[in-house]
Amino acid sequence: TQTTRPQRMLAAVQKSATRGDPRSVVKAIDQFCRQKEWAMNVGDEKGCILDSVVTEVNPATVLELGTYCAYSTVRIASLLPPDAKLITLEFNPHNAAIARQVIAWAGLGDKIQLVEGPSGDWIPKMKEKFGIETFDLVFLDHWKDRYLPDTKLMEECGLLRKGSVLLADNVICPGTPDYLEYIRNSPRYKSQYFRSHLEYTKVEDGLEKSVFLG
Ligand SMILES: O=C(NCCCOCn1ccc2cnccc21)c1cc(-c2ccc(F)cc2)cc(O)c1O
Ligand SMILES: [Mg+2]
């Protein structure tokens, strides 16, 4: 029977990456996506911008919205300090099952908690379910029309503190116009656009970094 793209991506990781070596997992996925099949990972170019923001923030708590096959999950977690926690949310159970195996191959299972379900349901439960006060860094990479409502939901649930950083993928392609409009005009955020390209292509895309001012 036919395999899925995430399954083929996992096979590429298990074939080419070294167990317990997150950077080799990242490299194997990028190689697969450049040489074999495009896939919607943040990719190596935007990934370098992601790395610099993670390193700068040095977060103790991270929320990732949109795991897919855990490429950015592994990329972020590999840069976190020892006791930091990353919670990643995935809607699609098949993708979540693949992501768990990629995370395990990278040896990052004790830093990452993968949760399955819709962001709208889980964001209000973060404090009670995971003992999270606030997030130091949020990486938005899920349905593009959920970036704005989920940002407002995080504000309402008190999950952001003065200095919390939101980093949003795909603000140009596929695009998140309502989110950009809100975040760039809100007095409660200081935003900065990092121009780049859609993963593995020459199409323009970018990341929007926004600091919550409280
Ligand atoms: O669609 C994209 N990502 C989202 C996946 C579903 O996410 C669903 N999802 C994951 C947690 C979660 C939690 N709650 C609700 C939905 C939730 C996405 C799409 C493209 C892209 C660009 C050009 C194209 F021609 C085609 C596709 C690129 C990207 O980098 C992306 O990230
Ligand atoms: Mg994306």
Side-chain angles (χ1 to χ4, degrees), residues 34-214:
R34 282 197 177 284
Q35 293 165 10
K36 300 280 187 342
E37 305 179 55
W38 186 92
M40 61 180 172
N41 316 115
V42 75
D44 42 359
E45 192 180 320
K46 288 186 288 179
C48 286
I49 300 165
L50 172 63
D51 290 355
S52 63
V53 172
V54 173
T55 309
E56 175 205 347
V57 176
N58 197 37
T61 53
V62 183
L63 175 62
E64 175 181 61
L65 299 173
T67 315
Y68 185 45
C69 297
Y71 171 92
S72 48
T73 321
V74 164
R75 200 161 180 141
I76 295 167
S78 72
L79 297 172
L80 294 181
D83 299 334
K85 292 297 289 174
L86 189 163
I87 296 175
T88 183
L89 219 41
E90 180 49 49
F91 180 75
N92 177 311
H94 173 72
N95 293 349
I98 298 294
R100 290 186 198 285
Q101 296 174 78
V102 170
I103 290 163
W105 195 271
L108 289 167
D110 59 352
K111 278 183 182 293
I112 297 164
Q113 173 122 32
L114 195 159
V115 181
E116 291 181 43
S119 49
D121 294 1
W122 277 106
I123 286 171
K125 295 177 187 160
M126 281 296 154
K127 291 186 189 246
E128 66 177 289
K129 290 273 178 192
F130 304 106
I132 294 281
E133 271 309 298
T134 55
F135 287 108
D136 300 325
L137 174 66
V138 181
F139 182 50
L140 296 96
D141 195 20
H142 60 330
W143 285 334
K144 309 315 162 192
D145 63 359
R146 287 296 314 179
Y147 284 26
L148 181 53
D150 286 342
T151 296
K152 290 180 174 173
L153 191 54
M154 287 187 286
E155 290 172 17
E156 285 152 23
C157 296
L159 286 168
L160 303 179
R161 51 122 177 120
K162 190 171 167 39
S164 290
V165 172
L166 304 185
L167 187 65
D169 189 26
N170 310 117
V171 297
I172 303 299
C173 177
T176 62
D178 60 341
Y179 173 80
L180 277 188
E181 159 84 18
Y182 173 80
I183 209 91
R184 289 176 172 173
N185 296 306
S186 167
R188 302 184 74 187
Y189 293 90
K190 177 89 184 80
S191 285
Q192 186 181 359
Y193 175 60
F194 293 84
R195 185 169 183 209
S196 185
H197 295 93
L198 177 69
E199 45 270 26
Y200 318 114
T201 77
K202 293 186 167 43
V203 173
E204 183 181 346
D205 189 22
L207 299 173
E208 187 82 0
K209 177 192 169 198
S210 306
V211 183
F212 187 59
L213 303 174

